[in-house]
Amino acid sequence: MTETVAEIVAAHRAGTTSPAKTVARSFQRIRDHGDPAVFISLRNEADAIAEAEALAAKGDTSLPLYGVPVAVKDNIDVAGLPTTAACPAFSYTPTQDANTVARLRAAGAIVIGKTNLDQFATGLVGVRSPYGIPKNPVNGDLVPGGSSSGSAVAVSAGLVPLSLGTDTAGSGRVPAMLNNIVGLKPSLGLMSTSGVLPACRTLDCVSIFSLNVDDAMIALNVMAGYDAADPYSRDRFVGPVTDFPPGIRLGIPRKGQLKFFGDTVLERSYDAAVARLIALGAVPVEFDLAPFYETAQLLYEGPWVAERYLVIRDLLAKDPDAVHPVTREITLKGEKITAADTFAALYKLEAMRQISRTTFESIDAMVLPTAPTAYTVEQVLANPIELNSRNGTYTNFVNLLDMCGLAVPAAMRADGIPFGITLLAPAGHDAQLASIGRVFHADTKLKTGAKGVAQPPLAPVSKEPGTDEVAIVAVGAHLSGMALNHELLSLGGRLIEATSTAPDYKLYALKGTVPPKPGMLRVEPGAGAAIAVEVWALPTKAFGAFVAAIPSPLSIGTVRLADGSGVKGFLVEAAATEGARDITSFGGWRAFVAAQAKSA
């Protein structure tokens, strides 16, 4: 039985099944699942099958989502299907697809239907909808998470392998944890929000749910791209997925800063997840989480609530009872926000952004619990606002600070409650998070979703620079795990291979460099030795900035590798080696540093 995006596409290409059969299977699974609260509207099954048959008739099996059934959150436009945002009185029927949906279809995906959500995407619990509460398929007592409740449940329950949500305050991450699936929250502007009903227009993004990280990245690469029709679209580069980045500096909050609200089981699960990441090669670095908590308070206590009010103020004035009472209570606070309140909050946010930038000078990414605990439907209905707020403890600050995030399953607790972590980094590092998250998730050996399906083997990553990348040879402090490696990582660099040069180089420990650096000098054949180096790939648009920052006497030239190829890399001016210590005999900078540490 094929389940993941990659498996479905492979089966369609091999001819072992067809797009039409896969689409029909999705509709049958929806009927068998028997939960009317998952979807708000479904396409006519015959129309969807006909679209799949027409796709197959074209014969373009190279499409990355060839025949993959997809569900779409009902605040994202799908031509011909109502967009309700879980409010019947607000419903309208769009005549064209949202940009992201159009890109999915162009890549071969078949839209199945529109999924339920916390009304107007206001909530992290999944219980604020007149269309019912989707039952959590992993643990029926738990809330499904929100606001993208139906989208997460549809993937977890195996109804579709891929779905779209949205994420303003955590709606693409919290449901991922509670449903034991992956939730990808991309950098703001990386995917267009044209055709998406806003929650907070300045913070919204379309998110992706899937069973594993590789599937999510297939979808992200399909949907990413600048959209001139969206004023919030940004020309950002996704980048390639790599092996687990060696020496990646992962931020861990200072002791005692994490909040679990008494859930000691989840606290232990988080500690175990961190230990797993360290075992995989991550370097833990403590950081101060307090400013991020402070930023989170701005989202619902600051002027961004006015953005939510702006979207539905006419409906609130005309028919307030059409709005869910909890949603109405939250949104009406935006009516009283003043311009002075807004500017005060913007000043505060800019100060918090500066702190965030400073924090990420010492770490490459941070790892947090996706949510601090898990609540039942009964608990949330009895205390709807406070418990919802707790769900956003580690999510509310992310979009305010222009960060990207990836929520991945980390453990299935003995009490049947799933636990997940979220990896966070500054915008533009989506692929770096995926490179960490995919290996971490595979290492857990967890079954996916609610159906207990085993994870497929990780797809191999490319060892060649992409069309938008430049290869560069690292010799010293930029090697993985060394003092300046973070400069490559922060620019989206990825390790291609560890190798050595041709035997035509000498290596010197340069004087007075901070941090200590070597200089590699090419000499006459036979007068030098092979030096251990690494080949990295940098995004083309980052290469110039990287080279411009290289201090004298180092420079970039062509380095000849052991296989005879020539690659741009670090070299040193010959004059700088006068009086410098010749360390060629160590065979590389890493070996020299290790020897120095032993003798210290």
Side-chain angles (χ1 to χ4, degrees):
M1 179 185 293
T2 54
E3 296 291 342
T4 69
V5 168
E7 288 172 330
I8 288 171
V9 170
H12 290 169
R13 289 172 179 168
T16 55
T17 190
S18 69
K21 289 180 180 178
T22 299
V23 168
R25 187 184 68 189
S26 273
F27 278 98
Q28 186 58 52
R29 287 184 175 182
I30 291 167
R31 286 189 289 271
D32 292 344
H33 187 63
D35 183 354
V38 177
F39 286 88
I40 290 178
S41 62
L42 285 169
R43 286 185 67 188
N44 178 280
E45 183 175 357
D47 289 346
I49 290 173
E51 183 181 332
E53 289 172 339
L55 176 72
K58 290 179 181 177
D60 189 0
T61 61
S62 66
L63 293 171
L65 295 175
Y66 179 57
V68 174
V70 174
V72 178
K73 186 176 179 178
D74 198 19
N75 60 343
I76 303 172
D77 287 348
V78 172
L81 289 180
T83 299
T84 72
C87 181
F90 189 83
S91 178
Y92 64 91
T93 301
T95 57
Q96 66 180 44
D97 291 331
N99 179 280
T100 47
V101 174
R103 286 174 178 262
L104 285 178
R105 281 182 154 155
I110 309 294
V111 175
I112 299 297
K114 305 291 292 296
T115 53
N116 203 355
L117 65 153
D118 280 317
Q119 192 177 76
F120 295 114
T122 301
L124 293 170
V125 284
V127 304
R128 301 171 180 172
S129 171
Y131 295 97
I133 301 171
K135 187 171 183 178
N136 187 316
V138 176
N139 185 319
D141 292 333
L142 299 179
V143 294
S147 61
S148 310
S149 54
S151 290
V153 168
V155 171
S156 180
L159 311 183
V160 292
L162 184 71
S163 68
L164 297 188
T166 59
D167 190 307
T168 305
S171 297
R173 290 162 279 158
V174 171
M177 180 184 112
L178 294 171
N179 286 276
N180 190 39
I181 59 174
V182 167
L184 189 156
K185 190 223 82 69
S187 299
L188 294 178
L190 183 59
M191 298 196 304
S192 172
T193 53
S194 292
V196 179
L197 182 70
C200 296
R201 195 177 180 195
T202 59
L203 303 177
D204 294 338
C205 65
V206 175
S207 64
I208 300 166
F209 294 109
S210 59
L211 293 175
N212 59 37
V213 176
D214 285 347
D215 281 1
M217 290 303 289
I218 293 171
L220 177 63
N221 279 290
V222 162
M223 290 183 285
Y226 180 74
D227 176 15
D230 175 12
Y232 290 95
S233 182
R234 303 179 191 177
D235 187 12
R236 284 178 156 161
F237 176 65
V238 176
V241 171
T242 72
D243 292 323
F244 194 94
I248 190 88
R249 301 172 303 166
L250 277 188
I252 313 298
R254 292 175 183 169
K255 189 172 182 179
Q257 286 194 321
L258 288 172
K259 302 174 183 178
F260 297 98
F261 301 100
D263 192 337
T264 56
V265 176
L266 191 144
E267 184 173 6
R268 290 194 297 271
S269 297
Y270 172 77
D271 291 341
V274 170
R276 184 181 297 277
L277 286 163
I278 294 170
L280 289 169
V283 177
V285 179
E286 278 197 354
F287 76 98
D288 185 6
L289 187 59
F292 297 88
Y293 284 142
E294 192 174 347
T295 304
Q297 297 303 311
L298 291 172
L299 191 62
Y300 284 101
E301 295 178 7
W304 286 271
V305 179
E307 288 195 274
R308 295 181 183 272
Y309 172 73
L310 183 62
V311 176
I312 60 171
R313 64 179 175 182
D314 292 342
L315 179 62
L316 285 168
K318 181 177 67 175
D319 187 7
D321 290 337
V323 181
H324 189 282
V326 177
T327 305
R328 184 171 66 241
E329 178 183 347
I330 293 168
T331 307
L332 280 172
K333 294 177 183 177
E335 184 180 19
K336 299 176 182 178
I337 300 293
T338 68
D341 295 332
T342 301
F343 278 106
L346 289 174
Y347 299 154
K348 178 68 175 290
L349 177 59
E350 201 55 44
M352 294 297 103
R353 286 175 173 170
Q354 182 60 38
I355 292 172
S356 177
R357 286 189 287 269
T358 301
T359 299
F360 278 102
E361 289 175 0
S362 59
I363 62 174
D364 302 305
M366 61 177 66
V367 55
L368 298 173
T370 300
T373 188
Y375 293 111
T376 66
V377 172
E378 183 181 3
Q379 287 172 317
V380 169
L381 291 178
N383 188 4
I385 294 179
E386 182 183 10
L387 298 193
N388 181 87
S389 178
R390 289 182 182 180
N391 269 356
T393 300
Y394 304 115
T395 61
N396 283 349
F397 62 83
V398 173
N399 286 14
L400 285 165
L401 296 176
D402 197 11
M403 298 163 70
C404 54
L406 179 68
V408 292
M412 184 62 68
R413 294 162 34 162
D415 55 8
I417 294 176
F419 167 66
I421 58 167
T422 294
L423 298 159
L424 298 167
H429 292 80
D430 306 77
Q432 183 186 85
L433 296 186
S435 301
I436 302 167
R438 69 193 294 268
V439 176
F440 170 86
H441 188 203
D443 193 65
T444 66
K445 297 181 172 56
L446 285 170
K447 300 294 181 66
T448 59
K451 294 297 183 180
V453 178
Q455 295 185 54
L458 284 176
V461 298
S462 173
K463 295 296 184 182
E464 297 295 328
T467 55
D468 293 320
E469 293 180 309
V470 177
I472 186 167
V473 174
V475 177
H478 286 89
L479 293 167
S480 57
M482 305 301 281
L484 297 180
N485 182 245
H486 66 92
E487 292 183 356
L488 288 171
L489 291 170
S490 67
L491 291 171
R494 65 185 181 98
L495 178 64
I496 292 179
E497 65 173 337
T499 183
S500 62
T501 67
D504 304 337
Y505 292 88
K506 282 187 174 291
L507 194 66
Y508 297 87
L510 301 178
K511 290 183 176 181
T513 55
V514 180
K517 302 181 186 72
M520 189 170 73
L521 181 69
R522 188 167 184 180
V523 294
E524 292 295 322
I531 305 298
V533 296
E534 291 177 349
V535 181
W536 284 72
L538 269 179
T540 302
K541 64 183 181 181
F543 183 74
F546 179 72
V547 171
I550 294 172
S552 178
L554 298 177
S555 62
I556 295 293
T558 299
V559 176
R560 193 160 70 92
L561 298 179
D563 63 4
S565 63
V567 180
K568 298 298 180 187
F570 285 88
L571 293 172
V572 69
E573 299 166 9
T577 65
E578 295 178 9
R581 180 181 175 184
D582 185 339
I583 59 171
T584 307
S585 61
F586 289 90
W589 181 245
R590 194 187 302 279
F592 171 72
V593 171
Q596 293 295 103
K598 281 185 179 180
S599 62

